[in-house]
Amino acid sequence: MAALATADGGSSCGKGLIMPIAAVPSYLGKDFKDASPGLRFGMFLPFWTDHSDQEKYVRDRARKGSTEAGSYRALLEQGVDTAIGQLADEKNFPKLWRKTSTFGSDAWKKIRTLTESDVQRMKALAQRQELLAQTCRDILRFDGVSIAPFTTGLGNEHPLENGFAFLNPYGLPYLPGSGIKGVLRQSARELSSGQWGDAQGWSRAQTYFLEAEKDQIALSSIDALFGLESSDGNTLHVRGALSFWDAVPQISGHELLVEIMTPHQSHYYQQKNDSKSGDIVSPHDSGQPNPITFLTVPPETGFTFWITCDSRHLQRIAPDLAQNDHWKNLARAALEHAFQWLGFGAKTAVGYGAMGRNFKVEDELEKKRIDQEKALLRSQMSLARQAIEDFVDYMQKRHVALRGRPTGMGTEYNRAKALAEAALNDPDWTSDEKRAAVQVIIEWLPKVVAIDMKDQRKKLKLSQIEHG
C-alpha cells in the first residue's frame, strides 16, 4: 500500500506535482526477495505504478525514433518531474497507483520463487506434524502427490482479481483442514450412494442412535465421523469424531507456477454493455478475451493428509466404527475416491487439484518401519545373536553382489573364521547360539567363497563348537 502527497506537502487532489510516499517503513528498503511468498504476493507485490514507472515511460518515449520523441527530450531537459507533470493528462500516461500493464515475468518470478529459508520452513512444518503425530494414539497418515496444478484461495481479495491462500505466519501455500474435511465428506456421500460400485463400507443408513433431551438422534456413519449437519432451524448438532490437519505442500522444484485463464465472454458473464462487444449483453464471437493470471502449486508436489479420531467419542456414538480401527478403512476409501474423482482446492471441475497416491513416500515409510522393527529386535538380542545376524546380513549382500559366483578366500572367509572363533572361545555364548553360528557358516560360506566345506569344517573346528 502507499500514500500520495504533492511536492509542496498538499493532498494528491490538488494541482501540484504528485509524488508517491510508500507506506512501508524506509528501513525495510525495497528488496523483499527474502520475504515469504505470502508477504511478497500479499503486501510487497510490484504491481502498482509509481514515480519510477512514470519516469521510465517518459525516457522510453524520448529514446524512440518517432516524431514525438523530440518533444519528450525537450521536456526532459526541464527536469523529469516537470515532464511528468506536463504529460500526466495524456491518455496512455501511467497514472499513479494504478495496475501496471508492465507487470510481467520478472515480477511474477519474484513472487513465485521459494528462497532457501522458505524451503527449510516448508520442510520444518512437515517434520513438526510428523513429530506431533507420534504423540497421537488414533491417527491416520495418507500421502498423496499432485498430478495437476493445485490452487486454493482464489476468492480472497487481491489486486490480481484472484487471490491465493497462504498459511500465516509462515507465508507458505497450504490446503486447509476444513477444505479436506469437505472433500472427504462429499467423497463419503458419493460412495454411500451406491452409484460408484463398491461403497467401501460407507452407508447412509441411520444405524446409530443418541438419546437427546426431547428426542432420539439418528446417525449414519457419515454423521458419526464428520458430524451431523442439522437442517435450517434445527438445533440438534452432533460433533464428528474425525479431525483434519492442514496439509502443507512439499513443493516440487521449489517454485510456484503462474497459470492463465482467458474468459472470452466477460461482458456476458458480468452482464455489462461493452462498446467493444457491440453494446449487447448476449455472448457472441466478437467478445474481447481477458487473460487473468493466478498462482498455483506445481504438479508432483507432495501432500501429507493427517486425520485424527476421538476414539472415546466414536466409541460412545458408533462403537463398531471404533472397533479394530474400522474408521481408518473408511477414511482411506474416502481419500482414494477423492484422489481419483474429486480433487482438492479450487477449480477442480477443470482438473486442478487432482491427486495420486505417493507410492514413493509409502515405500520409504514401510522401509523405515521395517528398519525400526529390526532395530527393536536387535536391541533385545544378546551380543552373540547380533554377531550371527550381522554375519548373515553381510553374506547375503555379498552373494547378491557376486551374482551367485563364489569368490576366493578373503574378507568373506575371514568373517566366517572370526564368527567361528567367537563361538568357540567366548564363554557367554549358549549352546543354541553356538549351533546357530555353525549352521549359518555351513549355509552361507560355500555360497560366497569357493572352498571345500568338508575341509573347512575341520579348520574352523565346527564340530568342536557344536558339541562344546
Side-chain angles (χ1 to χ4, degrees):
M1 302 299 293
L4 302 180
T6 60
D8 60 0
S11 74
S12 60
C13 298
K15 298 295 184 180
L17 179 64
I18 297 177
M19 299 289 289
I21 300 175
V24 176
S26 59
Y27 61 80
L28 288 179
K30 295 183 178 180
D31 184 4
F32 303 114
K33 65 181 180 181
D34 292 329
S36 69
L39 277 176
R40 294 198 300 269
F41 183 75
M43 297 186 67
F44 304 135
L45 181 71
F47 190 72
W48 306 103
T49 55
D50 59 12
H51 188 263
S52 62
D53 294 306
Q54 294 179 325
E55 181 177 342
K56 182 178 182 300
Y57 177 86
V58 176
R59 295 190 184 280
D60 287 346
R61 287 303 183 97
R63 283 193 292 266
K64 290 186 176 181
S66 61
T67 55
E68 64 176 7
S71 62
Y72 282 96
R73 286 192 292 270
L75 285 173
L76 281 174
E77 291 177 359
Q78 302 176 41
V80 66
D81 291 340
T82 301
I84 291 173
Q86 295 191 27
L87 297 171
D89 293 332
E90 281 192 0
K91 180 179 180 181
N92 295 323
F93 192 80
K95 309 299 182 183
L96 278 176
W97 308 115
R98 306 286 178 84
K99 292 182 182 180
T100 174
S101 59
T102 59
F103 183 72
S105 58
D106 290 342
W108 273 120
K109 189 172 183 180
K110 292 177 182 178
I111 293 172
R112 70 175 192 254
T113 301
L114 299 185
T115 65
E116 183 61 30
S117 62
D118 295 329
V119 175
Q120 294 303 319
R121 195 180 309 114
M122 176 179 70
K123 293 179 179 179
L125 285 172
Q127 185 179 20
R128 183 183 300 177
Q129 287 188 324
E130 289 190 24
L131 293 174
L132 183 59
Q134 294 176 13
T135 67
C136 299
R137 184 180 65 178
D138 299 297
I139 191 166
L140 170 66
R141 173 177 181 160
F142 201 90
D143 288 278
V145 60
S146 60
I147 57 178
F150 162 83
T151 188
T152 185
L154 295 183
N156 295 345
E157 290 187 2
H158 195 273
L160 292 178
E161 298 182 26
N162 288 285
F164 194 84
F166 290 96
L167 179 62
N168 291 325
Y170 309 104
L172 294 172
Y174 80 116
L175 173 57
S178 58
I180 298 172
K181 179 178 181 179
V183 172
L184 295 191
R185 184 196 289 271
Q186 178 60 26
S187 178
R189 286 171 174 166
E190 291 187 0
L191 286 171
S192 65
S193 70
Q195 298 178 1
W196 298 82
D198 187 359
Q200 302 290 322
W202 286 101
S203 173
R204 297 186 182 184
Q206 296 177 324
T207 55
Y208 309 105
F209 299 94
L210 288 178
E211 295 297 332
E213 292 183 1
K214 298 181 179 179
D215 200 358
Q216 191 179 56
I217 305 175
L219 303 174
S220 67
S221 58
I222 299 176
D223 299 327
L225 293 176
F226 292 96
L228 176 63
E229 287 187 328
S230 301
S231 56
D232 293 340
N234 195 336
T235 59
L236 293 178
H237 309 283
V238 177
R239 175 175 61 88
L242 301 185
S243 297
F244 302 82
W245 294 5
D246 296 337
V248 181
Q250 300 302 295
I251 298 172
S252 172
H254 300 164
E255 188 174 68
L256 300 174
L257 291 182
V258 178
E259 296 280 311
I260 298 176
M261 56 181 171
T262 308
H264 285 262
Q265 309 290 348
S266 58
H267 70 283
Y268 166 69
Y269 293 116
Q270 298 175 7
Q271 293 293 294
K272 291 182 178 180
N273 289 327
D274 187 352
S275 59
K276 295 180 179 179
S277 303
D279 289 323
I280 58 175
V281 174
S282 60
H284 52 83
D285 292 341
S286 63
Q288 299 297 310
N290 181 29
I292 298 175
T293 50
F294 60 98
L295 280 177
T296 66
V297 173
E300 300 183 7
T301 290
F303 288 78
T304 299
F305 296 84
W306 295 99
I307 304 175
T308 60
C309 178
D310 185 342
S311 56
R312 291 184 179 179
H313 178 60
L314 188 60
Q315 181 68 36
R316 183 172 66 89
I317 63 175
D320 62 320
L321 298 183
Q323 188 176 6
N324 298 323
D325 286 339
H326 181 49
W327 68 269
K328 289 186 178 181
N329 297 330
L330 294 176
R332 288 192 188 96
L335 280 162
E336 291 177 354
H337 180 79
F339 277 21
Q340 186 173 5
W341 296 105
L342 299 180
F344 295 83
K347 299 180 72 65
T348 55
V350 290
Y352 285 82
M355 297 274 179
R357 287 179 61 179
N358 197 334
F359 292 106
K360 179 180 179 181
V361 171
E362 289 182 8
D363 291 343
E364 290 174 353
L365 290 174
E366 180 63 16
K367 182 178 182 300
K368 183 178 179 180
R369 185 190 64 80
I370 294 173
D371 290 343
Q372 289 175 341
E373 288 183 355
K374 287 182 177 179
L376 178 61
L377 290 174
R378 182 179 176 86
S379 66
Q380 299 170 347
M381 293 179 181
S382 65
L383 293 178
R385 286 291 178 183
Q386 290 182 19
I388 294 170
E389 290 292 327
D390 289 343
F391 174 78
V392 172
D393 183 62
Y394 174 79
M395 287 299 194
Q396 286 177 335
K397 291 178 180 177
R398 291 300 300 151
H399 183 63
V400 172
L402 294 169
R403 298 182 180 180
R405 295 190 292 269
T407 184
M409 296 179 66
T411 303
E412 296 81 4
Y413 179 79
N414 291 334
R415 291 288 292 261
K417 183 178 179 182
L419 181 65
E421 290 176 351
L424 181 64
N425 301 318
D426 194 326
D428 293 331
W429 283 57
T430 66
S431 299
D432 289 341
E433 290 169 344
K434 290 181 179 182
R435 284 192 291 271
V438 171
Q439 289 174 0
V440 297
I441 290 173
I442 293 174
E443 178 184 358
W444 284 103
L445 188 59
K447 290 182 180 180
V448 178
V449 182
I451 55 169
D452 182 354
M453 198 59 218
K454 291 183 179 180
D455 183 49
Q456 290 302 320
R457 284 185 66 96
K458 296 179 181 180
K459 291 183 178 181
L460 297 176
K461 302 178 180 180
L462 298 186
S463 298
Q464 185 178 346
I465 295 171
E466 281 183 305
H467 301 95

